[in-house]
Amino acid sequence: DGGITQSPKYLFRKEGQNVTLSCEQNLNHDAMYWYRQDPGQGLRLIYYSQIVNDFQKGDIAEGYSVSREKKESFPLTVTSAQKNPTAFYLCASSPFGTGDEQFFGPGTRLTVL
Amino acid sequence: ELKVEQNPLFLSMQEGKNYTIYCNYSTTSDRLYWYRQDPGKSLESLFVLLSNGAVKQEGRLMASLDTKARLSTLHITAAVHDLSATYFCAVDMAMDSNYQLIWGAGTKLIIKP
């Protein structure tokens, strides 16, 4: 079954800790994305990557970091510099370029205690 | 400015009624996507509209694209409770030397029995 997986589904973090959210896809898609969604709000782009070993900042990259060492994987680290990280995080991928249809993973809900 | 505006942002309607959600965008594009999000869940792709005049239908939902007017509509016919969700449109727009999906804020649809 092809798709996008995210783990964990729920994540609790103490203030001051870094945490890493996993995103893996077996669709052979070139581009991958991370979005943040706050309750009742739309999507905000954090980072995206069009090819391995390359990524660009989105609208709200501060306090986040990513890597793209493999085509299948695009992990997101939420650092202690992100002051209000409690949110729903969605990973997506698209076949070729950044204007293509995006396919979403199930999401990770991060709560800061 | 690259902008995608959805209206209404919130819609409460009775089962059996018809209604339309609008998605306006600020610059030339001929690729537009509609997604559905159920509460607490990820986004699911509904329609891909790739040219002027494109019309797609799935059950009680029909989406259309008018690239000259920079407008897409999502029409709901004889609404049923199961269609309650938040609906997002996303438009492929040129930004710098690249293309990006620009997202609308979402329309929360509640269908009452």
Side-chain angles (χ1 to χ4, degrees):
Chain A
D1 256 339
I4 304 173
T5 56
Q6 290 185 241
S7 62
K9 187 173 180 180
Y10 298 97
L11 185 57
F12 298 90
R13 187 193 98 170
K14 292 181 182 177
E15 285 194 20
Q17 280 184 335
N18 292 354
V19 291
T20 297
L21 283 57
S22 168
C23 178
E24 305 274 333
Q25 54 100 358
N26 62 3
L27 300 167
N28 200 32
H29 285 177
D30 286 337
M32 297 186 74
Y33 313 81
W34 275 105
Y35 291 94
R36 170 179 171 145
Q37 188 177 35
D38 292 291
Q41 303 297 311
L43 303 179
R44 291 190 288 170
L45 182 64
I46 305 172
Y47 270 99
Y48 64 98
S49 166
Q50 298 183 79
I51 54 171
V52 174
N53 293 322
D54 188 44
F55 47 83
Q56 281 78 42
K57 293 181 180 180
D59 301 320
I60 57 163
E62 186 175 345
Y64 300 96
S65 66
V66 292
S67 62
R68 186 93 186 272
E69 296 175 2
K70 297 186 298 181
K71 188 175 184 178
E72 305 79 26
S73 178
F74 191 41
L76 173 75
T77 297
V78 184
T79 75
S80 56
Q82 172 47 240
K83 295 306 174 193
N84 185 20
T86 295
F88 188 43
Y89 290 87
L90 288 160
C91 178
S93 68
S94 63
F96 306 110
T98 47
D100 290 343
E101 181 184 11
Q102 293 180 13
F103 299 83
F104 285 81
T108 293
R109 196 166 299 279
L110 173 63
T111 303
V112 172
L113 302 173
Chain B
E1 185 189 357
L2 302 178
K3 222 159 57 163
V4 176
E5 292 184 339
Q6 287 183 236
N7 71 83
L9 297 181
F10 179 81
L11 178 57
S12 178
M13 55 193 291
Q14 296 291 127
E15 274 191 328
K17 300 289 188 184
N18 302 336
Y19 211 84
T20 301
I21 299 170
Y22 297 90
C23 175
N24 292 274
Y25 53 97
S26 61
T27 190
T28 304
S29 174
D30 55 8
R31 290 202 289 183
L32 188 142
Y33 309 94
W34 283 97
Y35 290 83
R36 169 182 172 145
Q37 185 178 35
D38 292 308
K41 304 290 187 185
S42 185
L43 276 74
E44 170 192 350
S45 180
L46 283 177
F47 297 112
V48 178
L49 302 170
L50 298 178
S51 61
N52 186 41
V55 177
K56 295 275 183 78
Q57 183 160 6
E58 175 93 22
R60 300 172 188 274
L61 298 177
M62 184 172 71
S64 65
L65 178 61
D66 180 343
T67 59
K68 293 178 183 176
R70 299 179 186 169
L71 171 69
S72 179
T73 59
L74 180 66
H75 187 73
I76 303 144
T77 301
V80 293
H81 179 67
D82 285 353
L83 291 178
S84 297
T86 298
Y87 294 87
F88 291 94
C89 64
V91 184
D92 171 27
M93 292 189 186
M95 187 180 345
D96 299 326
S97 57
N98 212 340
Y99 286 88
Q100 292 285 351
L101 277 197
I102 307 299
W103 291 83
T107 297
K108 184 171 183 177
L109 176 62
I110 295 176
I111 299 168
K112 300 177 182 177

